[in-house]
Short mmCIF file of all heavy atoms in Angstrom, two decimals:
data_model
loop_
_atom_site.label_atom_id
_atom_site.label_comp_id
_atom_site.label_asym_id
_atom_site.label_seq_id
_atom_site.Cartn_x
_atom_site.Cartn_y
_atom_site.Cartn_z
N LEU A 78 6.70 24.64 2.58
CA LEU A 78 6.24 26.00 2.31
C LEU A 78 4.90 26.27 3.05
O LEU A 78 4.76 27.30 3.73
CB LEU A 78 6.06 26.17 0.80
CG LEU A 78 5.87 27.61 0.32
CD1 LEU A 78 7.19 28.38 0.47
CD2 LEU A 78 5.41 27.66 -1.14
N VAL A 79 3.95 25.35 2.89
CA VAL A 79 2.65 25.53 3.51
C VAL A 79 2.80 25.58 5.03
O VAL A 79 2.19 26.45 5.70
CB VAL A 79 1.68 24.40 3.10
CG1 VAL A 79 0.37 24.49 3.83
CG2 VAL A 79 1.42 24.48 1.59
N LEU A 80 3.64 24.70 5.61
CA LEU A 80 3.83 24.73 7.08
C LEU A 80 4.45 26.02 7.52
O LEU A 80 4.03 26.64 8.47
CB LEU A 80 4.79 23.57 7.44
CG LEU A 80 4.21 22.22 7.78
CD1 LEU A 80 5.31 21.28 8.17
CD2 LEU A 80 3.19 22.32 8.96
N TRP A 81 5.49 26.44 6.78
CA TRP A 81 6.26 27.64 7.16
C TRP A 81 5.39 28.89 7.11
O TRP A 81 5.46 29.77 7.96
CB TRP A 81 7.48 27.79 6.21
CG TRP A 81 8.43 28.81 6.70
CD1 TRP A 81 8.70 30.01 6.09
CD2 TRP A 81 9.24 28.75 7.85
NE1 TRP A 81 9.60 30.71 6.83
CE2 TRP A 81 9.99 29.94 7.92
CE3 TRP A 81 9.46 27.78 8.85
CZ2 TRP A 81 10.91 30.21 8.94
CZ3 TRP A 81 10.35 28.05 9.88
CH2 TRP A 81 11.04 29.26 9.91
N LEU A 82 4.50 28.95 6.08
CA LEU A 82 3.67 30.13 5.92
C LEU A 82 2.38 30.05 6.76
O LEU A 82 1.53 30.94 6.67
CB LEU A 82 3.28 30.33 4.45
CG LEU A 82 4.48 30.57 3.50
CD1 LEU A 82 4.00 30.67 2.07
CD2 LEU A 82 5.21 31.84 3.88
N GLY A 83 2.22 28.97 7.51
CA GLY A 83 1.02 28.82 8.32
C GLY A 83 -0.23 28.59 7.50
O GLY A 83 -1.32 29.04 7.87
N GLY A 84 -0.07 27.91 6.38
CA GLY A 84 -1.18 27.70 5.44
C GLY A 84 -2.33 26.94 6.07
O GLY A 84 -3.53 27.21 5.75
N PHE A 85 -2.04 25.99 6.95
CA PHE A 85 -3.13 25.19 7.55
C PHE A 85 -3.93 26.06 8.51
O PHE A 85 -5.15 25.91 8.59
CB PHE A 85 -2.59 23.98 8.24
CG PHE A 85 -1.93 22.99 7.28
CD1 PHE A 85 -0.58 22.84 7.23
CD2 PHE A 85 -2.74 22.29 6.38
CE1 PHE A 85 0.01 21.96 6.32
CE2 PHE A 85 -2.17 21.40 5.49
CZ PHE A 85 -0.78 21.23 5.47
N GLY A 86 -3.27 26.97 9.20
CA GLY A 86 -3.96 27.89 10.09
C GLY A 86 -4.87 28.84 9.32
O GLY A 86 -6.01 29.14 9.69
N TRP A 87 -4.34 29.31 8.17
CA TRP A 87 -5.14 30.17 7.31
C TRP A 87 -6.40 29.44 6.81
O TRP A 87 -7.50 29.99 6.87
CB TRP A 87 -4.28 30.62 6.09
CG TRP A 87 -5.08 31.38 5.10
CD1 TRP A 87 -5.34 32.72 5.13
CD2 TRP A 87 -5.79 30.83 3.97
NE1 TRP A 87 -6.15 33.06 4.08
CE2 TRP A 87 -6.44 31.91 3.37
CE3 TRP A 87 -5.91 29.56 3.44
CZ2 TRP A 87 -7.24 31.78 2.21
CZ3 TRP A 87 -6.69 29.39 2.30
CH2 TRP A 87 -7.35 30.50 1.70
N LEU A 88 -6.23 28.18 6.40
CA LEU A 88 -7.37 27.38 5.90
C LEU A 88 -8.39 27.19 7.04
O LEU A 88 -9.61 27.30 6.83
CB LEU A 88 -6.88 26.01 5.41
CG LEU A 88 -7.94 25.05 4.89
CD1 LEU A 88 -8.61 25.62 3.65
CD2 LEU A 88 -7.37 23.67 4.58
N ASP A 89 -7.86 26.92 8.25
CA ASP A 89 -8.76 26.72 9.41
C ASP A 89 -9.60 27.95 9.63
O ASP A 89 -10.82 27.87 9.80
CB ASP A 89 -7.89 26.41 10.65
CG ASP A 89 -8.71 26.45 11.92
OD1 ASP A 89 -9.59 25.59 12.05
OD2 ASP A 89 -8.41 27.32 12.79
N GLU A 90 -8.96 29.15 9.56
CA GLU A 90 -9.70 30.36 9.82
C GLU A 90 -10.74 30.61 8.73
O GLU A 90 -11.88 31.02 8.99
CB GLU A 90 -8.68 31.52 9.83
CG GLU A 90 -9.07 32.64 10.77
CD GLU A 90 -8.02 33.73 10.76
OE1 GLU A 90 -6.81 33.39 10.81
OE2 GLU A 90 -8.39 34.93 10.73
N TYR A 91 -10.34 30.35 7.51
CA TYR A 91 -11.25 30.52 6.37
C TYR A 91 -12.48 29.65 6.50
O TYR A 91 -13.63 30.08 6.34
CB TYR A 91 -10.51 30.25 5.07
CG TYR A 91 -11.39 30.33 3.84
CD1 TYR A 91 -11.85 31.54 3.33
CD2 TYR A 91 -11.80 29.15 3.20
CE1 TYR A 91 -12.66 31.60 2.23
CE2 TYR A 91 -12.64 29.21 2.08
CZ TYR A 91 -13.07 30.44 1.62
OH TYR A 91 -13.87 30.49 0.51
N LEU A 92 -12.28 28.34 6.82
CA LEU A 92 -13.36 27.39 6.95
C LEU A 92 -14.28 27.69 8.12
O LEU A 92 -15.46 27.45 8.11
CB LEU A 92 -12.84 25.96 7.00
CG LEU A 92 -12.13 25.47 5.76
CD1 LEU A 92 -11.53 24.10 5.98
CD2 LEU A 92 -13.08 25.42 4.56
N ARG A 93 -13.65 28.26 9.17
CA ARG A 93 -14.42 28.64 10.36
C ARG A 93 -15.49 29.67 10.01
O ARG A 93 -16.57 29.72 10.57
CB ARG A 93 -13.45 29.25 11.37
CG ARG A 93 -13.65 28.80 12.79
CD ARG A 93 -12.39 29.12 13.59
NE ARG A 93 -11.55 27.94 13.66
CZ ARG A 93 -11.80 26.93 14.46
NH1 ARG A 93 -12.83 26.93 15.26
NH2 ARG A 93 -11.00 25.86 14.46
N GLY A 94 -15.13 30.52 9.02
CA GLY A 94 -16.10 31.51 8.54
C GLY A 94 -17.28 30.89 7.79
O GLY A 94 -18.37 31.42 7.77
N LEU A 95 -17.03 29.75 7.14
CA LEU A 95 -18.05 29.08 6.35
C LEU A 95 -18.94 28.18 7.19
O LEU A 95 -20.13 28.05 6.94
CB LEU A 95 -17.43 28.24 5.24
CG LEU A 95 -16.63 28.95 4.17
CD1 LEU A 95 -16.08 27.93 3.17
CD2 LEU A 95 -17.48 29.96 3.44
N ALA A 96 -18.30 27.49 8.15
CA ALA A 96 -19.05 26.48 8.92
C ALA A 96 -19.73 27.13 10.13
O ALA A 96 -19.18 28.02 10.75
CB ALA A 96 -18.10 25.41 9.40
N SER A 97 -20.94 26.65 10.41
CA SER A 97 -21.71 27.24 11.50
C SER A 97 -21.21 26.68 12.85
O SER A 97 -21.26 27.42 13.85
CB SER A 97 -23.19 26.91 11.31
OG SER A 97 -23.34 25.58 10.94
N VAL A 98 -20.78 25.44 12.86
CA VAL A 98 -20.33 24.85 14.14
C VAL A 98 -18.95 24.22 13.97
O VAL A 98 -18.54 23.84 12.87
CB VAL A 98 -21.31 23.77 14.66
CG1 VAL A 98 -22.55 24.42 15.25
CG2 VAL A 98 -21.69 22.80 13.56
N GLU A 99 -18.24 24.07 15.10
CA GLU A 99 -16.90 23.54 15.13
C GLU A 99 -16.74 22.17 14.41
O GLU A 99 -15.82 22.01 13.60
CB GLU A 99 -16.39 23.48 16.56
CG GLU A 99 -15.05 22.87 16.77
CD GLU A 99 -13.91 23.74 16.32
OE1 GLU A 99 -14.16 24.97 16.12
OE2 GLU A 99 -12.79 23.23 16.15
N PRO A 100 -17.62 21.19 14.70
CA PRO A 100 -17.42 19.87 14.06
C PRO A 100 -17.45 19.97 12.54
O PRO A 100 -16.72 19.23 11.85
CB PRO A 100 -18.63 19.06 14.55
CG PRO A 100 -19.10 19.69 15.78
CD PRO A 100 -18.74 21.16 15.67
N LEU A 101 -18.27 20.87 12.00
CA LEU A 101 -18.32 21.04 10.52
C LEU A 101 -17.00 21.62 10.01
O LEU A 101 -16.52 21.23 8.95
CB LEU A 101 -19.45 21.98 10.15
CG LEU A 101 -20.81 21.30 9.89
CD1 LEU A 101 -21.81 22.34 9.38
CD2 LEU A 101 -20.67 20.16 8.88
N THR A 102 -16.38 22.54 10.77
CA THR A 102 -15.09 23.07 10.36
C THR A 102 -14.09 21.94 10.21
O THR A 102 -13.36 21.89 9.20
CB THR A 102 -14.52 24.04 11.42
OG1 THR A 102 -15.56 24.92 11.84
CG2 THR A 102 -13.34 24.82 10.91
N SER A 103 -14.08 21.03 11.18
CA SER A 103 -13.16 19.87 11.10
C SER A 103 -13.44 19.03 9.86
O SER A 103 -12.54 18.64 9.15
CB SER A 103 -13.30 18.97 12.35
OG SER A 103 -12.98 19.70 13.50
N LEU A 104 -14.73 18.73 9.62
CA LEU A 104 -15.10 17.90 8.49
C LEU A 104 -14.67 18.56 7.16
O LEU A 104 -14.10 17.93 6.28
CB LEU A 104 -16.62 17.71 8.52
CG LEU A 104 -17.16 16.41 7.88
CD1 LEU A 104 -16.48 15.19 8.41
CD2 LEU A 104 -18.67 16.32 8.06
N TYR A 105 -14.98 19.87 7.02
CA TYR A 105 -14.54 20.60 5.83
C TYR A 105 -13.02 20.55 5.67
O TYR A 105 -12.49 20.35 4.59
CB TYR A 105 -14.96 22.10 5.92
CG TYR A 105 -16.47 22.35 5.80
CD1 TYR A 105 -16.98 23.61 6.08
CD2 TYR A 105 -17.33 21.34 5.41
CE1 TYR A 105 -18.32 23.87 5.97
CE2 TYR A 105 -18.70 21.59 5.30
CZ TYR A 105 -19.19 22.86 5.59
OH TYR A 105 -20.53 23.11 5.51
N PHE A 106 -12.34 20.76 6.79
CA PHE A 106 -10.87 20.79 6.73
C PHE A 106 -10.33 19.47 6.19
O PHE A 106 -9.49 19.47 5.27
CB PHE A 106 -10.30 21.07 8.13
CG PHE A 106 -8.82 21.25 8.17
CD1 PHE A 106 -8.27 22.51 8.01
CD2 PHE A 106 -7.97 20.17 8.34
CE1 PHE A 106 -6.88 22.70 8.06
CE2 PHE A 106 -6.58 20.32 8.37
CZ PHE A 106 -6.04 21.63 8.22
N PHE A 107 -10.78 18.34 6.77
CA PHE A 107 -10.34 17.03 6.28
C PHE A 107 -10.61 16.89 4.77
O PHE A 107 -9.77 16.42 3.99
CB PHE A 107 -10.98 15.90 7.04
CG PHE A 107 -10.53 15.76 8.47
CD1 PHE A 107 -11.44 15.57 9.51
CD2 PHE A 107 -9.17 15.83 8.80
CE1 PHE A 107 -11.01 15.47 10.81
CE2 PHE A 107 -8.73 15.71 10.10
CZ PHE A 107 -9.66 15.54 11.13
N GLY A 108 -11.81 17.31 4.38
CA GLY A 108 -12.21 17.22 2.96
C GLY A 108 -11.32 18.04 2.06
O GLY A 108 -10.80 17.54 1.05
N VAL A 109 -11.12 19.31 2.42
CA VAL A 109 -10.32 20.21 1.59
C VAL A 109 -8.88 19.71 1.46
O VAL A 109 -8.33 19.66 0.34
CB VAL A 109 -10.35 21.66 2.13
CG1 VAL A 109 -9.34 22.53 1.42
CG2 VAL A 109 -11.76 22.24 1.99
N VAL A 110 -8.29 19.31 2.58
CA VAL A 110 -6.92 18.85 2.55
C VAL A 110 -6.77 17.58 1.68
O VAL A 110 -5.88 17.45 0.84
CB VAL A 110 -6.34 18.60 3.97
CG1 VAL A 110 -5.00 17.88 3.92
CG2 VAL A 110 -6.18 19.89 4.69
N TYR A 111 -7.75 16.67 1.82
CA TYR A 111 -7.74 15.44 0.99
C TYR A 111 -7.83 15.80 -0.49
O TYR A 111 -7.01 15.34 -1.29
CB TYR A 111 -8.85 14.48 1.40
CG TYR A 111 -8.99 13.36 0.38
CD1 TYR A 111 -8.10 12.30 0.35
CD2 TYR A 111 -9.98 13.43 -0.62
CE1 TYR A 111 -8.21 11.30 -0.58
CE2 TYR A 111 -10.09 12.43 -1.58
CZ TYR A 111 -9.20 11.37 -1.58
OH TYR A 111 -9.28 10.41 -2.53
N PHE A 112 -8.83 16.58 -0.86
CA PHE A 112 -9.03 16.85 -2.29
C PHE A 112 -7.91 17.70 -2.87
O PHE A 112 -7.49 17.51 -3.97
CB PHE A 112 -10.40 17.48 -2.52
CG PHE A 112 -11.48 16.46 -2.51
CD1 PHE A 112 -12.33 16.34 -1.44
CD2 PHE A 112 -11.63 15.59 -3.57
CE1 PHE A 112 -13.35 15.33 -1.41
CE2 PHE A 112 -12.62 14.57 -3.59
CZ PHE A 112 -13.50 14.48 -2.48
N ALA A 113 -7.41 18.65 -2.09
CA ALA A 113 -6.31 19.50 -2.59
C ALA A 113 -5.07 18.63 -2.88
O ALA A 113 -4.51 18.72 -3.94
CB ALA A 113 -5.97 20.58 -1.58
N SER A 114 -4.74 17.71 -1.92
CA SER A 114 -3.53 16.93 -2.16
C SER A 114 -3.78 15.94 -3.30
O SER A 114 -2.85 15.67 -4.08
CB SER A 114 -3.07 16.23 -0.90
OG SER A 114 -3.98 15.23 -0.54
N ASP A 115 -4.99 15.47 -3.46
CA ASP A 115 -5.28 14.57 -4.57
C ASP A 115 -5.16 15.30 -5.91
O ASP A 115 -4.54 14.80 -6.85
CB ASP A 115 -6.67 13.97 -4.43
CG ASP A 115 -6.91 12.89 -5.46
OD1 ASP A 115 -6.50 11.73 -5.17
OD2 ASP A 115 -7.40 13.15 -6.56
N LEU A 116 -5.71 16.52 -5.99
CA LEU A 116 -5.64 17.28 -7.24
C LEU A 116 -4.22 17.61 -7.64
O LEU A 116 -3.83 17.51 -8.79
CB LEU A 116 -6.45 18.58 -7.10
CG LEU A 116 -7.98 18.42 -7.07
CD1 LEU A 116 -8.66 19.76 -6.83
CD2 LEU A 116 -8.48 17.78 -8.35
N ILE A 117 -3.41 17.97 -6.62
CA ILE A 117 -1.99 18.26 -6.89
C ILE A 117 -1.30 17.04 -7.45
O ILE A 117 -0.40 17.15 -8.32
CB ILE A 117 -1.30 18.75 -5.60
CG1 ILE A 117 -1.88 20.13 -5.19
CG2 ILE A 117 0.19 18.89 -5.79
CD1 ILE A 117 -1.52 20.58 -3.82
N GLY A 118 -1.73 15.85 -6.99
CA GLY A 118 -1.08 14.61 -7.48
C GLY A 118 -1.50 14.17 -8.88
O GLY A 118 -0.78 13.36 -9.48
N ILE A 119 -2.58 14.73 -9.39
CA ILE A 119 -3.11 14.24 -10.68
C ILE A 119 -2.12 14.36 -11.83
O ILE A 119 -1.89 13.39 -12.55
CB ILE A 119 -4.48 14.90 -11.01
CG1 ILE A 119 -5.56 14.28 -10.10
CG2 ILE A 119 -4.84 14.67 -12.49
CD1 ILE A 119 -6.93 14.82 -10.34
N PRO A 120 -1.45 15.52 -12.02
CA PRO A 120 -0.51 15.58 -13.14
C PRO A 120 0.59 14.55 -13.03
O PRO A 120 1.01 13.97 -14.05
CB PRO A 120 0.12 17.00 -12.98
CG PRO A 120 -0.87 17.77 -12.17
CD PRO A 120 -1.58 16.78 -11.30
N PHE A 121 0.99 14.21 -11.82
CA PHE A 121 2.04 13.19 -11.61
C PHE A 121 1.47 11.81 -11.98
O PHE A 121 2.17 11.01 -12.61
CB PHE A 121 2.57 13.22 -10.20
CG PHE A 121 3.32 14.46 -9.84
CD1 PHE A 121 2.73 15.49 -9.14
CD2 PHE A 121 4.65 14.62 -10.29
CE1 PHE A 121 3.42 16.66 -8.85
CE2 PHE A 121 5.32 15.77 -10.00
CZ PHE A 121 4.73 16.81 -9.27
#
Side-chain angles (χ1 to χ4, degrees):
L78 192 71
V79 174
L80 270 181
W81 191 249
L82 298 177
F85 295 108
W87 173 86
L88 179 65
D89 170 63
E90 213 179 316
Y91 175 75
L92 294 174
R93 224 163 263 283
L95 297 180
S97 44
V98 285
E99 176 73 16
L101 270 186
T102 314
S103 299
L104 206 54
Y105 290 170
F106 186 90
F107 290 134
V109 170
V110 170
Y111 168 77
F112 281 104
S114 69
D115 189 85
L116 288 176
I117 293 167
I119 286 181
F121 293 101

